[in-house]
């Protein structure tokens, strides 16, 4: 019986050496599924040994940004420039051996920036503390890739994240899975499937040990997307790219690099000379999709100077978590003025999704100590 690593290597090899065509398509799909299952097993074992759990990073601020790049691209220098944190930097690799947090402000929101050890090739397989670093990346709200003009290999960097189950600038596939113990497997779809037609989906599900239940496709998903949903431990993160040390580039070198990186549009910065940094912070702020919500105590005007900063998609529930716990405990209904309200003063429940610049009055159950926020 070969070891787990050997099995993984063997399947990876077979995928690499099998030519992709109509006849091998399903076979490759099943190999990919097999590989995903073996990798899940490897994760489980690593966790059992206490490895792969990552650093304990206490999140703070309204959102967390993970700084991802190879060693010596200037991550620590950038953190020091953007935040008050003291991240030591030096002209050799691996100066940062732990995760260093710093805080920056953007339009009323505070954003935690995490400087971490540089990724090295093979990080997702555990090289150079890669697994620990990647588990910190998983918990971030945004990835900021940093590359330098000498090693502009964004693809390799992104592949390390892919290998660790992190999906960049993608939304979760619209596939709904229900497992059960009996009744066989039902596959249905609301659109025509071009990648997973003719029993392919069922065969891939079986590789994951799923023999009963239902899979509903709400989009024309690929094999990889189905595998992601079956594996179940993927995270979907937005990402930005910055090219550091860009003061070293001539205008034509810069244009050439920009063309190579297309369709990604990098921010060209110099952490050393502090150029392009304001624009970068703006990009970060927009990418995090903050919204500002104003709380209005009943019968009084809202406090327009002190918004509660939330993220797009956050609900009244999320707002309550930011207010005194008493309000959360005794919450009855919320009244909304603004873009998310169908009419001014609409009453909504905890699940209501808020919009930027909404005004919210929290009403609490009668007989509670205070009647409202
Ligand atoms: N030319 C240039 N060098 C930089 C810039 N930013 C950082 N460096 C240098 O690159 C080296 C590595 O920086 P560091 O921040 O430690 O990189 P890290 O390993 O990614 O954290 C140091 O010698 C820095 O002074 C920059 O914008 N331009
Ligand atoms: Mg560093």
């Amino acid at each position: 019986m070969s070891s787990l690593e050997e099995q993984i290597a063997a399947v990876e090899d077979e995928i690499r050496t099998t030519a992709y065509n109509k006849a091998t398509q399903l076979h490759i799909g099943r190999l990919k599924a097999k590989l995903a299952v073996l990798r899940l097993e490897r994760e489980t074992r690593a966790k059992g040994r206490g490895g792969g759990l990552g650093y304990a990073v206490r999140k703070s601020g309204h959102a967390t940004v993970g700084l991802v790049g190879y060693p010596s691209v200037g991550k620590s220098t950038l953190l020091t420039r953007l935040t008050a944190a003291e991240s030591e930097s030096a002209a050799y690799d691996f100066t940062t051996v732990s995760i260093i947090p710093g805080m920056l402000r953007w339009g009323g929101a505070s954003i935690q920036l995490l400087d971490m050890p540089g990724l090295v090739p093979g990080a997702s397989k555990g090289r150079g503390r890669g697994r620990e670093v990647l588990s910190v990346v998983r918990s971030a709200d945004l990835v900021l890739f940093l590359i330098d003009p000498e090693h502009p290999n964004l693809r390799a960097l992104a592949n390390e994240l892919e290998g660790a189950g992190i999906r960049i600038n993608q939304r979760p596939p619209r596939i709904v899975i229900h497992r059960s113990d009996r009744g066989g497997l039902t596959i249905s779809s609301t659109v025509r499937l071009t990648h997973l037609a003719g029993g392919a989906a069922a065969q891939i599900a079986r590789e994951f040990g799923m023999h009963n239940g239902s899979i509903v496709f709400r989009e024309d998903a690929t094999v990889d997307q189905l595998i992601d949903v079956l594996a179940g431990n993927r995270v979907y993160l937005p990402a930005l790219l910055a090219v550091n040390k860009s003061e070293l580039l001539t205008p034509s070198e810069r244009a050439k690099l920009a063309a190579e990186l297309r369709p990604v549009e990098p921010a060209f910065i110099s952490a050393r000379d502090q150029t392009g940094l304001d624009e970068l912070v703006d990009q970060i702020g927009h990418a995090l999709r903050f919204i500002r919500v104003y709380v209005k105590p009943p019968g009084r005007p809202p406090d327009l100077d002190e918004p509660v900063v939330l993220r797009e998609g956050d609900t009244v529930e999320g707002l309550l978590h930011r207010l005194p716990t008493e309000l959360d405990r005794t919450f009855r209904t919320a009244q909304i003025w603004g873009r998310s309200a169908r009419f001014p003063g609409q009453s909504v429940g905890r699940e209501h999704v808020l919009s930027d610049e909404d005004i919210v009055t929290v009403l609490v159950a009668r007989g509670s100590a205070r009647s409202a926020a």
Side-chain angles (χ1 to χ4, degrees):
M1 179 63 194
S2 59
S3 76
L4 189 56
E5 284 308 325
E6 283 163 2
Q7 292 178 50
I8 288 175
V11 180
E12 281 174 342
D13 232 46
E14 194 176 345
I15 292 175
R16 218 179 359 256
T17 53
T18 308
Y20 185 91
N21 58 48
K22 205 91 201 127
T24 59
Q25 201 178 342
L26 178 58
H27 180 61
I28 290 176
R30 288 179 56 187
L31 288 172
K32 284 178 164 179
K34 198 168 279 178
L35 182 60
V37 171
L38 290 169
R39 282 178 174 162
L40 281 176
E41 174 60 23
R42 180 170 64 187
E43 275 323 294
T44 312
R45 289 190 196 176
K47 282 201 181 107
R49 287 195 305 270
L53 291 178
Y55 294 77
V57 177
R58 192 138 54 87
K59 282 206 180 190
S60 68
H62 298 108
T64 299
V65 177
L67 212 44
V68 173
Y70 289 116
S72 297
V73 295
K75 296 181 297 300
S76 304
T77 309
L78 181 64
L79 182 84
T80 315
R81 294 285 188 262
L82 292 183
T83 74
E86 285 295 318
S87 182
E88 93 249 44
S89 73
Y92 48 84
D93 294 355
F94 301 117
T95 45
T96 315
V97 294
S98 58
I99 308 286
I100 299 172
M103 198 66 89
L104 66 90
R105 306 274 310 167
W106 184 80
S110 41
I111 301 170
Q112 185 183 43
L113 196 59
L114 299 178
D115 176 25
M116 35 198 143
L119 284 184
V120 295
S124 57
K125 300 193 179 82
R127 288 196 56 216
R129 295 168 181 259
R131 234 194 289 279
E132 289 84 345
V133 176
L134 287 164
S135 80
V136 175
V137 177
R138 282 178 77 91
S139 70
D141 300 298
L142 173 81
V143 174
L144 175 57
F145 287 114
L146 196 63
I147 58 179
D148 77 17
E150 299 257 336
H151 316 94
N153 198 347
L154 176 63
R155 192 61 252 162
L157 210 51
N159 280 344
E160 295 299 338
L161 268 58
E162 283 276 316
I166 300 165
R167 300 290 171 264
I168 292 300
N169 292 337
Q170 297 175 23
R171 49 164 187 68
R174 292 180 12 222
I175 305 172
V176 184
I177 292 188
H178 285 290
R179 292 169 199 266
S180 61
D181 314 330
R182 69 191 75 212
L185 197 55
T186 327
I187 313 277
S188 59
S189 63
T190 58
V191 295
R192 205 171 75 82
L193 298 180
T194 61
H195 311 284
L196 286 162
Q203 293 210 37
I204 285 167
R206 288 199 184 94
E207 293 291 341
F208 281 84
M210 179 174 175
H211 301 281
N212 297 288
S214 68
I215 304 179
V216 181
F217 290 92
R218 297 186 188 286
E219 69 174 305
D220 182 19
T222 62
V223 168
D224 297 301
Q225 287 179 308
L226 175 60
I227 289 172
D228 279 349
V229 176
L230 284 162
N233 64 344
R234 309 301 195 225
V235 294
Y236 296 84
L237 297 178
L240 294 172
L241 171 66
V243 177
N244 191 33
K245 310 190 186 184
S246 66
E247 88 283 354
L248 300 174
L249 294 170
T250 64
S252 72
E253 284 170 336
R254 178 193 284 228
K256 185 165 165 277
L257 182 53
E260 274 169 34
L261 292 168
R262 245 189 297 275
V264 180
E265 281 196 35
F268 284 95
I269 64 167
S270 169
R272 195 194 68 183
D273 297 353
Q274 310 208 43
T275 54
L277 301 189
D278 291 344
E279 293 83 352
L280 177 61
V281 170
D282 257 0
Q283 274 194 33
I284 292 172
H286 287 296
L288 285 168
R289 300 181 178 283
F290 290 116
I291 61 173
R292 293 150 297 173
V293 171
Y294 303 95
V295 174
K296 172 182 147 33
R300 285 198 275 141
D303 186 351
L304 295 177
D305 293 328
E306 287 245 356
V308 179
V309 178
L310 299 171
R311 309 253 329 269
E312 218 170 75
D314 279 351
T315 58
V316 168
E317 176 87 36
L319 171 65
L320 290 171
H321 291 164
R322 294 294 183 73
L323 301 177
T325 48
E326 181 64 15
L327 288 175
D328 191 359
R329 210 173 52 71
T330 57
F331 173 82
R332 181 165 59 86
T333 180
Q335 281 183 291
I336 313 280
W337 291 263
R339 275 196 294 125
S340 83
R342 260 183 287 145
F343 51 88
Q346 185 192 357
S347 283
V348 300
R350 288 174 180 268
E351 67 298 331
H352 178 83
V353 177
L354 295 163
S355 298
D356 191 28
E357 301 204 81
D358 275 356
I359 294 172
V360 180
T361 293
V362 175
L363 298 175
V364 302
R366 235 186 287 278
S368 311
R370 289 194 326 173
S371 71

